[in-house]
Amino acid sequence: MTLTHTVRPYESYVYAYPHKTAYRPLAGQPGGRPALSELWAGERKDALSLYLHIPFCEVRCGFCNLFTRIGAPDELTSRYLDALDRQASAVRDALGDGEPVRFAAAAFGGGTPTFLTAGELERLCDIAEKRMGADLRSVPLSVETSPSTATADRLAVLAERGTTRISIGVQSFVEAEARAAVRPQHAADVERALGLIRDTSIPVLNIDLIYGIAGQTERTWRASLDAALRWRPEELYLYPLYVRPLTALGRLSAGEADAAWDEQRLRLYRAGRDHLLAHGYEQVSMRMFRRADAPRAEGPDDHACQTDGMIGLGCGARSYTSRLHYSFDYAVRMGEVRGIIDAYTATVDFSRAEVGWYTDGEETRRRHLLQSVLQAGGMPVDGYRERFGTSPYEDFPEELARFEARGWLDLQAPAEGLLRLSPEGLAYSDALGPELFSPAVRAAMAAYELK
């Protein structure tokens, strides 16, 4: 199958907008480092999302450019949790008690949260509950794990503390492909971990798989999909492989991806999508597939990522208010990551935002459109108009006209009151998303110096 456009389908994965490479130190901007109490004053706090970031892994995969380091010597995890506790106390004080503070969802990510011991995971949950006031047993709680760290004692803690979803990065059930992705693992360890997860009371299992690995074929891709389906996961995420700067694969790569690789990834994406749809899964986004008969997570259903705030704890987490997205410094190179983690663990005063990006009305519109339209269900146009007083067709006429000309929009959706991508538009999500970035964000990301 040939590409239907000259547009490359894999520009970048838009999991948040703007990307952290657009963030800048706030100390050098008007107003300097704002106090968190000022940032959160006047913000709605009745449906917040809570994210705790653990920046440790046993190994670093060849494709990974996440903020994480290998190992944690000299009781580093204890010192990190001490700092996380201090940060949580400062953030909760900044939220104040003038109005109810409620968390509608929670997640532990990384890195690998289950790099922590069972006892340390207990402490992590205590920080979320006792410091932040999140009721982990009554809201959806998602936790990431890996085959080597999904042990019975760790999983028992997570299940007892209210985890509703566990996500395990398998990437490939074919050992040769795992090695090609610089991800050392054995199929037996993967199967053992999945068996332990299924032995718990955690209701939702998600398995991450990657397509586009060197040497991967439709036959081996189908083998990985079928191996995953044997566990009847409630969710499956299918990720295209990216080769990013400063990663192990980036150092091994001879250059940028070419058209043949784009062809391979698109072919495998479509084969994987069709295979899952034929096996009773629904497509939620380009990456996410949910088993049609899977239980939905119980808990508040009023959190909306487009409008509600997010509290991120940990040196790789980001937080969102209506006017500022903020975090700590970002890096990929191991030496830089270690330095940032060390600085974080030594921090005493967490009362101010350090690095971020101020969002104006246009940026808020872009973020709302991005986070809505990249979902398979589409975006209710009336909801957009109710929030902004305008239509997305008025605000983004050139972009939407271009998407329509490429066949990326579902032309039947307006009759349903929706702006929705076509199946081809979903396939090109990683090209469509970046085209909605503002010129200012593009310029900031281009000027970012990799480290």
Side-chain angles (χ1 to χ4, degrees):
M1 181 177 294
T2 58
L3 301 182
T4 56
H5 318 288
T6 57
V7 178
R8 291 194 55 193
Y10 300 105
E11 294 295 333
S12 67
Y13 171 25
V14 183
Y15 59 89
Y17 179 77
H19 191 270
K20 285 176 72 174
T21 53
Y23 290 12
R24 293 295 182 269
L26 297 168
Q29 301 185 39
R33 296 160 54 238
L36 300 187
S37 57
E38 296 174 3
L39 284 176
W40 285 98
E43 295 282 324
R44 283 189 54 190
K45 309 180 188 76
D46 59 340
L48 296 173
S49 178
L50 178 64
Y51 178 78
L52 277 65
H53 180 257
I54 303 300
F56 307 111
C57 290
E58 289 193 334
V59 296
R60 187 163 196 167
C61 302
F63 49 83
C64 178
N65 73 336
L66 298 178
F67 185 89
T68 187
R69 62 160 291 166
I70 300 171
D74 303 323
E75 299 183 343
L76 180 56
T77 54
S78 294
R79 289 186 281 117
Y80 185 84
L81 289 172
D82 289 343
L84 198 70
D85 201 337
R86 294 194 298 274
Q87 185 189 8
S89 295
V91 171
R92 184 60 188 86
D93 287 346
L95 293 176
D97 294 313
E99 57 185 290
V101 175
R102 184 175 68 88
F103 292 95
F108 302 158
T112 308
T114 49
F115 179 91
L116 300 178
T117 66
E120 289 170 333
L121 286 171
E122 290 276 16
R123 187 179 179 196
L124 187 69
C125 293
D126 285 344
I127 291 171
E129 292 189 329
K130 297 176 181 179
R131 291 288 184 264
M132 294 305 301
D135 186 353
L136 298 182
R137 292 180 177 83
S138 67
V139 302
L141 170 60
S142 178
V143 182
E144 297 172 8
T145 191
S146 68
S148 61
T149 62
T151 59
D153 58 339
R154 292 177 171 106
L155 294 170
V157 169
L158 295 176
E160 195 279 328
R161 298 301 291 260
T163 301
T164 56
R165 177 182 183 269
I166 193 103
S167 178
I168 184 168
V170 174
Q171 319 316 349
S172 176
F173 284 84
V174 179
E175 289 192 12
E177 292 178 0
R179 289 194 300 272
V182 193
R183 182 183 176 84
Q185 67 183 21
H186 297 291
D189 293 332
V190 172
E191 297 289 327
R192 175 200 56 79
L194 288 167
L196 289 172
I197 292 169
R198 278 309 198 200
D199 287 341
T200 72
S201 58
I202 298 171
V204 175
L205 164 65
N206 173 69
I207 298 176
D208 289 346
L209 298 175
I210 285 181
Y211 55 92
I213 300 170
Q216 192 176 46
T217 65
E218 288 191 49
R219 181 185 61 80
T220 62
W221 177 228
R222 174 74 67 90
S224 274
L225 290 167
D226 287 340
L229 288 172
R230 283 196 290 273
W231 293 97
R232 286 186 51 78
E234 285 71 25
E235 295 175 6
L236 276 159
Y237 270 71
L238 309 185
Y239 288 95
L241 180 66
Y242 276 92
V243 174
R244 300 177 174 95
L246 304 183
T247 63
L249 285 181
R251 291 190 293 271
L252 295 172
S253 175
E256 293 188 359
D258 57 17
W261 193 30
D262 285 345
E263 291 271 11
Q264 180 208 23
R265 286 182 287 181
L266 267 181
R267 184 174 63 254
L268 294 177
Y269 160 76
R270 289 175 171 133
R273 175 198 62 194
D274 294 347
H275 194 58
L276 293 186
L277 293 178
H279 280 76
Y281 284 74
E282 301 169 335
Q283 186 166 18
V284 179
S285 68
M286 171 188 166
R287 286 165 171 75
M288 181 183 177
F289 295 80
R290 180 187 292 124
R291 211 178 73 213
D293 63 346
R296 297 298 191 261
E298 295 183 3
D301 59 3
D302 55 348
H303 176 78
C305 63
Q306 298 92 335
T307 57
D308 293 320
M310 178 171 178
I311 297 292
L313 301 178
C315 60
R318 68 185 83 207
S319 299
Y320 306 143
T321 70
S322 61
R323 56 195 179 94
L324 178 69
H325 293 191
Y326 63 93
S327 184
F328 296 93
D329 201 4
Y330 169 73
V332 176
R333 188 176 286 119
M334 189 58 64
E336 297 283 351
V337 171
R338 288 173 178 167
I340 294 170
I341 293 173
D342 289 343
Y344 175 83
T345 61
T347 299
V348 175
D349 183 4
F350 286 101
S351 64
R352 294 181 177 274
E354 300 292 338
V355 178
W357 180 271
Y358 283 100
T359 56
D360 59 16
E362 181 199 350
E363 295 288 29
T364 303
R365 284 172 163 82
R366 288 183 183 276
R367 180 170 182 261
H368 185 106
L369 179 60
L370 269 168
Q371 295 198 303
S372 302
V373 79
L374 292 180
Q375 300 298 304
M379 182 185 75
V381 175
D382 285 347
Y384 182 98
R385 187 184 298 277
E386 181 179 345
R387 183 179 183 191
F388 299 112
T390 55
S391 159
Y393 299 98
E394 299 170 30
D395 294 338
F396 304 98
E398 295 181 6
E399 293 93 334
L400 294 179
R402 190 163 63 243
F403 299 160
E404 181 177 344
R406 292 173 182 164
W408 290 358
L409 298 184
D410 180 349
L411 300 183
Q412 306 303 315
E416 305 172 43
L418 297 172
L419 174 58
R420 185 171 60 212
L421 299 183
S422 65
E424 187 73 347
L426 277 177
Y428 276 77
S429 290
D430 285 7
L432 183 152
E435 289 198 30
L436 288 171
F437 291 5
S438 71
V441 166
R442 289 175 181 273
M445 292 176 66
Y448 177 78
E449 295 184 7
L450 294 172
K451 56 184 180 180

